[in-house]
Structure formats: structure tokens, C-alpha cells
Amino acid sequence: MNIYGKIGFVVCTTLIGSLFGFQKSNSEISTVNYETVLFATVLSSDADSSVEEKEASSHFFSEAILGWTLSPYFKEEVGFSFSGRKQERGNIIFEFTSTTEEKADEKTQKFITTLADKLTKYNERAVTQFDILLDPAFTTVKNPHKSFWTMGGGIAGFFFGLFLVEVYIFLRQKKEKK
């Protein structure tokens, strides 16, 4: 087999691998997800505190809110998985995914209600005046990355083709030595 035959073989295995990856992405990975981002700002409305004290208390209380959301009870009450991270000072970003846009709206309302209830209970028991300012939830459609599977199949096919060409060369050299 000459060099052009080897190159042609590797190209063919690459194309076959790409086709297998494309087929897999079309058959198994067809669900669309809706990703919701909820931006929250923690506020202290204590009339007796200075602006600096309010800022500092909001900053530290936002960490307490993140702690609440890590509680197994809170996650059980909400009923779905989500992630939360502190952006800066008193700002928190919550993210979760849903299978439909309606479920995303339901999850958003459930999360907001659960968080508001927890905050109300905290303010009553601790005699504080914290509040959470929530921006409207932002939901985007996330399509699966089919190109990832196609490229992955092509790369696997390429290396498989190289492997087979090297095995062919090795066996041919071994046969010629005998």
C-alpha cells in the first residue's frame, strides 16, 4: 500500500467515525434544556444603621443565604437541584435547568417562595430587617452540542485509522523479515 492509500484509509476511517458520532448525537442526545438564572441582591433595611454597616451586614448575610440553600432540608423543600454562587458583596446568582419552559417558571416560583418564607422566618426570630431584591428570572434555551459528538467520532476514527495503518505496516515488515 502506497502513501496515498494509507492517507485515503485514514480519511475514510475519520469520515466513518464522524458519521457514527453524528448518528449518536441525533439518536440519543435530542433533549432541549431551559437554563434559568435568578439574580438576587441582599438588602439590610435597618433604620438605625449607617450605610457602611448596612453594606457589611448585607455582604455577610448573603453568605448565610447561600448556606441556607446548601441545606438538605431547603433542597428537599424546593424539590429540584440548583446551584448558587456569590457574585460580589451582597449579590447572589442562582441557576437551575428544566425540561420545559413551563417547568422553568414553576421552579422559579417555588424557589422564590421557599426563599422568601425562610427569610421571613429568620427576620421574625432574629428581629432583623433583611430583604432580598430579585431581578426577573432569565431563562434561555440550551440545545445539546451535537458537533461535539461529531468531532469526537471523527477524532476517534482518525486515530483508529492511524492505528490500523501502523498495524498493517508492522505486520508487513514482520512478514518480509521471514
Side-chain angles (χ1 to χ4, degrees):
M1 181 185 296
N2 63 13
I3 189 76
Y4 297 114
K6 294 173 187 172
I7 291 172
F9 182 76
V10 171
V11 167
C12 286
T13 58
T14 302
L15 290 175
I16 291 170
S18 294
L19 289 174
F20 276 126
F22 183 74
Q23 173 62 28
K24 180 171 176 60
S25 69
N26 282 335
S27 64
E28 293 185 17
I29 308 168
S30 61
T31 58
V32 174
N33 286 323
Y34 294 84
E35 185 177 90
T36 303
V37 177
L38 191 59
F39 186 83
T41 302
V42 179
L43 305 168
S44 173
S45 57
D46 183 14
D48 297 332
S49 300
S50 68
V51 173
E52 293 83 18
E53 291 171 332
K54 288 180 186 179
E55 291 265 332
S57 63
S58 295
H59 169 66
F60 290 115
F61 192 65
S62 65
E63 292 177 7
I65 291 174
L66 277 176
W68 293 349
T69 62
L70 294 175
S71 162
Y73 177 75
F74 187 89
K75 290 190 179 218
E76 181 181 305
E77 193 172 339
V78 171
F80 58 89
S81 62
F82 60 90
S83 65
R85 62 183 163 85
K86 191 171 174 184
Q87 183 192 23
E88 64 174 69
R89 308 253 345 133
N91 298 325
I92 306 171
I93 297 174
F94 297 104
E95 296 176 322
F96 52 89
T97 58
S98 308
T99 54
T100 64
E101 200 166 356
E102 292 78 26
K103 285 198 183 275
D105 292 338
E106 290 173 17
K107 286 181 176 182
T108 300
Q109 290 308 312
K110 181 67 175 171
F111 186 85
I112 291 171
T113 303
T114 305
L115 191 59
D117 289 346
K118 180 81 171 172
L119 181 64
T120 301
K121 289 177 187 174
Y122 180 86
N123 281 334
E124 288 173 2
R125 290 187 182 161
V127 191
T128 57
Q129 296 175 350
F130 286 104
D131 198 7
I132 298 176
L133 178 65
L134 293 165
D135 288 350
F138 185 72
T139 302
T140 56
V141 178
K142 295 292 182 184
N143 291 317
H145 299 287
K146 293 183 179 186
S147 61
F148 171 78
W149 289 98
T150 305
M151 285 178 34
I155 291 169
F158 175 78
F159 285 112
F160 184 68
L162 285 178
F163 173 75
L164 290 179
V165 166
E166 289 299 319
V167 166
Y168 172 77
I169 292 170
F170 175 75
L171 292 175
R172 201 170 100 189
Q173 287 176 351
K174 190 174 184 181
K175 183 180 174 185
E176 290 175 359
K177 286 184 181 179
K178 286 185 178 182

